[in-house]
Coordinates of all heavy atoms in Angstrom, one line a residue:
F82 N 14.0 26.4 24.5 CA 14.3 25.4 25.6 C 14.8 26.2 26.8 O 15.7 27.0 26.7 CB 15.3 24.4 25.1 CG 14.8 23.3 24.2 CD1 14.8 23.5 22.8 CD2 14.3 22.1 24.7 CE1 14.3 22.6 22.0 CE2 13.8 21.2 23.8 CZ 13.8 21.4 22.5
P83 N 14.2 25.9 28.0 CA 14.8 26.4 29.2 C 16.2 25.9 29.4 O 16.4 24.6 29.2 CB 13.8 26.0 30.3 CG 12.8 25.1 29.7 CD 13.1 25.0 28.2
A84 N 17.2 26.7 29.8 CA 18.5 26.2 30.0 C 18.6 25.1 31.0 O 19.5 24.3 30.9 CB 19.4 27.4 30.3
D85 N 17.7 25.2 32.0 CA 17.8 24.1 33.0 C 17.3 22.8 32.6 O 17.2 21.8 33.3 CB 17.2 24.6 34.3 CG 15.7 24.8 34.2 OD1 15.1 24.5 33.1 OD2 15.1 25.3 35.2
K86 N 16.9 22.7 31.3 CA 16.6 21.4 30.7 C 17.6 21.0 29.6 O 17.3 20.1 28.8 CB 15.2 21.4 30.1 CG 14.1 21.4 31.1 CD 12.8 21.2 30.3 CE 11.6 21.1 31.2 NZ 10.4 21.0 30.4
V87 N 18.8 21.6 29.6 CA 19.8 21.4 28.6 C 21.0 20.6 29.2 O 21.5 21.0 30.2 CB 20.3 22.7 27.9 CG1 21.5 22.4 27.0 CG2 19.2 23.3 27.1
V88 N 21.3 19.4 28.6 CA 22.5 18.7 29.0 C 23.5 18.8 27.8 O 23.1 19.0 26.7 CB 22.2 17.3 29.4 CG1 21.3 17.2 30.6 CG2 21.7 16.5 28.2
F89 N 24.8 18.8 28.2 CA 25.8 19.0 27.2 C 26.9 17.9 27.3 O 27.6 17.8 28.2 CB 26.4 20.4 27.5 CG 27.5 20.9 26.5 CD1 27.7 20.3 25.3 CD2 28.4 21.9 26.9 CE1 28.7 20.8 24.4 CE2 29.4 22.4 26.0 CZ 29.5 21.8 24.8
A90 N 27.0 17.1 26.2 CA 27.9 16.0 26.1 C 29.0 16.3 25.0 O 28.9 17.3 24.4 CB 27.2 14.7 25.9
G91 N 29.9 15.4 24.8 CA 30.9 15.5 23.7 C 32.3 15.4 24.3 O 32.6 16.0 25.3
V92 N 33.1 14.6 23.5 CA 34.5 14.4 24.0 C 35.4 15.7 23.8 O 36.4 15.7 24.4 CB 35.2 13.3 23.2 CG1 34.7 11.9 23.6 CG2 35.1 13.4 21.7
G93 N 34.9 16.6 23.0 CA 35.8 17.7 22.6 C 35.1 19.1 22.8 O 34.9 19.8 21.9
K94 N 34.8 19.4 24.1 CA 34.1 20.7 24.3 C 35.2 21.8 24.3 O 36.1 21.7 25.1 CB 33.4 20.7 25.7 CG 32.3 19.6 25.8 CD 31.7 19.7 27.2 CE 30.7 18.5 27.4 NZ 31.4 17.2 27.7
A95 N 35.0 22.8 23.5 CA 36.0 23.9 23.4 C 35.7 24.8 24.6 O 34.6 24.8 25.1 CB 35.8 24.6 22.1
D96 N 36.7 25.7 24.9 CA 36.5 26.6 26.1 C 35.2 27.5 25.9 O 34.5 27.7 26.8 CB 37.7 27.5 26.3 CG 38.9 26.6 26.7 OD1 38.9 25.4 26.6 OD2 39.9 27.2 27.1
W97 N 35.1 28.0 24.7 CA 33.9 28.9 24.5 C 32.6 28.2 24.6 O 31.6 28.7 25.1 CB 34.0 29.6 23.1 CG 33.7 28.7 21.9 CD1 34.6 28.1 21.1 CD2 32.4 28.5 21.3 NE1 33.9 27.4 20.1 CE2 32.6 27.6 20.2 CE3 31.1 28.9 21.6 CZ2 31.5 27.1 19.4 CZ3 30.0 28.4 20.8 CH2 30.3 27.5 19.8
E98 N 32.6 26.9 24.3 CA 31.4 26.1 24.4 C 31.1 25.8 25.9 O 29.9 25.9 26.4 CB 31.5 24.8 23.7 CG 31.6 25.0 22.2 CD 31.8 23.7 21.4 OE1 32.8 22.9 21.7 OE2 31.1 23.5 20.4
I99 N 32.1 25.6 26.7 CA 31.9 25.4 28.1 C 31.4 26.7 28.7 O 30.5 26.7 29.5 CB 33.3 24.9 28.8 CG1 33.6 23.5 28.3 CG2 33.1 25.0 30.3 CD1 35.0 23.1 28.7
D100 N 32.0 27.8 28.3 CA 31.6 29.1 28.8 C 30.1 29.4 28.5 O 29.4 29.9 29.3 CB 32.5 30.2 28.2 CG 33.9 30.2 28.8 OD1 34.1 29.5 29.8 OD2 34.8 30.9 28.2
L101 N 29.7 29.0 27.3 CA 28.3 29.2 26.9 C 27.4 28.5 27.8 O 26.4 29.0 28.3 CB 28.1 28.8 25.4 CG 26.8 29.0 24.8 CD1 26.5 30.5 24.6 CD2 26.6 28.3 23.4
G102 N 27.8 27.2 28.1 CA 26.9 26.4 29.0 C 26.9 27.1 30.4 O 25.9 27.1 31.1
L103 N 28.1 27.5 30.9 CA 28.2 28.1 32.2 C 27.4 29.4 32.3 O 26.6 29.7 33.2 CB 29.6 28.4 32.6 CG 30.5 27.2 32.9 CD1 32.0 27.6 32.9 CD2 30.1 26.6 34.2
D104 N 27.5 30.3 31.2 CA 26.8 31.6 31.2 C 25.3 31.4 31.2 O 24.6 32.2 31.8 CB 27.3 32.4 30.0 CG 28.7 32.8 30.1 OD1 29.3 32.8 31.2 OD2 29.3 33.2 29.0
N105 N 24.9 30.3 30.6 CA 23.4 30.1 30.6 C 22.9 29.2 31.7 O 21.7 28.9 31.7 CB 23.0 29.5 29.2 CG 23.1 30.6 28.1 OD1 22.2 31.5 28.1 ND2 24.2 30.6 27.4
D106 N 23.8 28.8 32.6 CA 23.4 27.9 33.7 C 22.6 26.6 33.2 O 21.5 26.4 33.7 CB 22.5 28.6 34.7 CG 23.4 29.7 35.4 OD1 24.5 29.5 35.7 OD2 22.8 30.9 35.5
I107 N 23.2 25.9 32.3 CA 22.6 24.7 31.8 C 22.5 23.7 32.9 O 23.2 23.8 33.9 CB 23.3 24.1 30.6 CG1 24.8 23.7 30.9 CG2 23.2 25.0 29.4 CD1 25.4 22.8 29.9
F108 N 21.7 22.6 32.7 CA 21.4 21.7 33.8 C 22.7 20.9 34.1 O 23.0 20.7 35.3 CB 20.3 20.7 33.3 CG 20.0 19.6 34.3 CD1 19.6 19.9 35.6 CD2 20.3 18.3 34.0 CE1 19.4 18.8 36.5 CE2 20.1 17.2 34.9 CZ 19.6 17.5 36.1
C109 N 23.4 20.4 33.1 CA 24.5 19.5 33.4 C 25.5 19.4 32.2 O 25.1 19.4 31.1 CB 23.9 18.1 33.6 SG 25.1 16.9 34.2
F110 N 26.8 19.3 32.6 CA 27.8 19.0 31.6 C 28.1 17.5 31.7 O 28.4 17.0 32.9 CB 29.1 19.7 31.9 CG 29.1 21.2 31.7 CD1 28.5 22.1 32.7 CD2 29.5 21.8 30.6 CE1 28.4 23.4 32.5 CE2 29.4 23.2 30.4 CZ 28.9 24.0 31.3
N111 N 28.0 16.8 30.7 CA 28.3 15.3 30.7 C 29.8 15.2 30.4 O 30.2 15.3 29.2 CB 27.5 14.5 29.8 CG 26.0 14.5 30.2 OD1 25.7 14.6 31.4 ND2 25.1 14.4 29.3
A112 N 30.7 15.1 31.4 CA 32.1 15.2 31.2 C 32.7 13.9 30.8 O 32.3 12.8 31.4 CB 32.8 15.7 32.4
E113 N 33.6 13.9 29.8 CA 34.0 12.6 29.2 C 35.5 12.2 29.6 O 35.9 11.2 29.2 CB 33.9 12.7 27.7 CG 32.5 13.1 27.3 CD 31.9 12.3 26.2 OE1 32.5 11.3 25.8 OE2 30.8 12.6 25.7
S114 N 36.2 13.1 30.3 CA 37.6 12.7 30.7 C 38.0 13.6 31.9 O 37.4 14.6 32.2 CB 38.5 13.0 29.5 OG 38.5 14.4 29.3
A115 N 39.1 13.1 32.5 CA 39.7 13.8 33.6 C 40.1 15.2 33.1 O 39.9 16.2 33.8 CB 40.8 13.0 34.2
A116 N 40.8 15.2 32.0 CA 41.3 16.5 31.4 C 40.2 17.5 31.2 O 40.4 18.7 31.5 CB 42.0 16.2 30.1
E117 N 39.0 17.0 30.8 CA 37.9 17.9 30.6 C 37.4 18.5 31.9 O 37.1 19.7 32.0 CB 36.8 17.2 29.8 CG 35.6 18.1 29.5 CD 34.4 17.3 29.1 OE1 34.5 16.3 28.4 OE2 33.3 17.8 29.4
L118 N 37.4 17.6 32.9 CA 36.9 18.1 34.2 C 37.7 19.2 34.8 O 37.2 20.2 35.4 CB 36.9 16.9 35.2 CG 35.7 15.9 35.1 CD1 36.0 14.6 35.9 CD2 34.4 16.5 35.6
V119 N 39.1 19.1 34.5 CA 40.0 20.1 35.0 C 39.7 21.4 34.3 O 39.6 22.5 35.0 CB 41.5 19.7 34.8 CG1 42.4 20.8 35.1 CG2 41.8 18.4 35.6
V120 N 39.4 21.4 33.0 CA 39.1 22.6 32.3 C 37.7 23.2 32.7 O 37.6 24.4 32.9 CB 39.2 22.4 30.8 CG1 38.7 23.6 30.0 CG2 40.6 22.0 30.4
I121 N 36.7 22.3 32.9 CA 35.4 22.9 33.3 C 35.6 23.5 34.7 O 35.1 24.6 34.9 CB 34.4 21.7 33.4 CG1 34.1 21.1 32.0 CG2 33.1 22.3 34.0 CD1 33.1 20.0 32.0
N122 N 36.4 22.9 35.6 CA 36.6 23.5 36.9 C 37.3 24.9 36.8 O 36.8 25.8 37.5 CB 37.5 22.5 37.7 CG 37.7 22.9 39.1 OD1 36.8 23.0 39.9 ND2 39.0 23.2 39.5
E123 N 38.3 24.9 35.9 CA 38.9 26.2 35.7 C 38.0 27.3 35.2 O 38.0 28.4 35.7 CB 40.0 26.1 34.6 CG 41.4 25.8 35.1 CD 42.3 25.4 34.0 OE1 42.1 26.0 32.8 OE2 43.2 24.6 34.2
R124 N 37.3 27.0 34.1 CA 36.4 28.0 33.5 C 35.3 28.4 34.5 O 35.0 29.6 34.6 CB 35.7 27.4 32.2 CG 36.5 26.8 31.2 CD 37.6 27.6 30.6 NE 37.1 28.9 30.0 CZ 37.9 29.8 29.6 NH1 39.2 29.6 29.6 NH2 37.5 31.0 29.1
A125 N 34.8 27.5 35.3 CA 33.7 27.8 36.2 C 34.3 28.7 37.3 O 33.7 29.7 37.7 CB 33.1 26.5 36.9
G126 N 35.6 28.4 37.8 CA 36.2 29.2 38.8 C 36.4 30.6 38.3 O 36.2 31.5 39.1
L127 N 36.8 30.8 37.1 CA 37.0 32.2 36.5 C 35.7 33.0 36.6 O 35.7 34.2 36.7 CB 37.4 32.1 35.1 CG 38.8 31.6 34.8 CD1 39.1 31.4 33.3 CD2 39.8 32.6 35.4
K128 N 34.5 32.3 36.6 CA 33.2 33.0 36.6 C 32.6 33.0 38.0 O 31.5 33.4 38.1 CB 32.3 32.3 35.6 CG 32.7 32.4 34.2 CD 31.7 31.6 33.2 CE 32.2 31.6 31.8 NZ 32.2 33.0 31.2
G129 N 33.3 32.4 38.9 CA 32.8 32.3 40.3 C 31.6 31.4 40.4 O 30.7 31.6 41.1
K130 N 31.6 30.4 39.5 CA 30.5 29.4 39.5 C 30.9 28.0 39.9 O 32.1 27.7 39.9 CB 29.8 29.4 38.1 CG 29.2 30.7 37.7 CD 28.3 30.5 36.5 CE 27.4 31.7 36.3 NZ 26.4 31.6 35.3
V131 N 29.9 27.2 40.2 CA 30.2 25.8 40.4 C 29.4 25.0 39.3 O 28.2 25.2 39.2 CB 29.7 25.3 41.8 CG1 29.9 23.8 41.9 CG2 30.5 26.0 42.9
A132 N 30.2 24.3 38.4 CA 29.5 23.7 37.3 C 28.9 22.3 37.7 O 29.6 21.5 38.3 CB 30.5 23.4 36.2
P133 N 27.6 22.1 37.4 CA 27.1 20.7 37.6 C 27.6 19.8 36.6 O 27.5 20.0 35.4 CB 25.6 21.0 37.5 CG 25.4 22.2 36.6 CD 26.7 23.0 36.7
V134 N 28.2 18.6 37.0 CA 28.7 17.7 36.0 C 28.2 16.3 36.3 O 27.9 15.9 37.4 CB 30.2 17.6 36.0 CG1 30.9 18.9 35.6 CG2 30.8 17.2 37.3

Side-chain angles (χ1 to χ4, degrees):
F82 281 87
D85 63 5
K86 284 189 177 177
V87 170
V88 296
F89 181 19
V92 286
K94 298 180 188 74
D96 293 10
W97 73 266
E98 295 177 306
I99 294 171
D100 288 350
L101 184 67
L103 288 168
D104 291 342
N105 286 285
D106 295 317
I107 61 167
F108 175 65
C109 188
F110 292 84
N111 293 332
E113 308 226 5
S114 65
E117 182 193 329
L118 281 167
V119 170
V120 174
I121 296 178
N122 185 64
E123 262 171 35
R124 309 301 306 174
L127 288 173
K128 292 175 187 293
K130 292 194 169 190
V131 176
V134 298

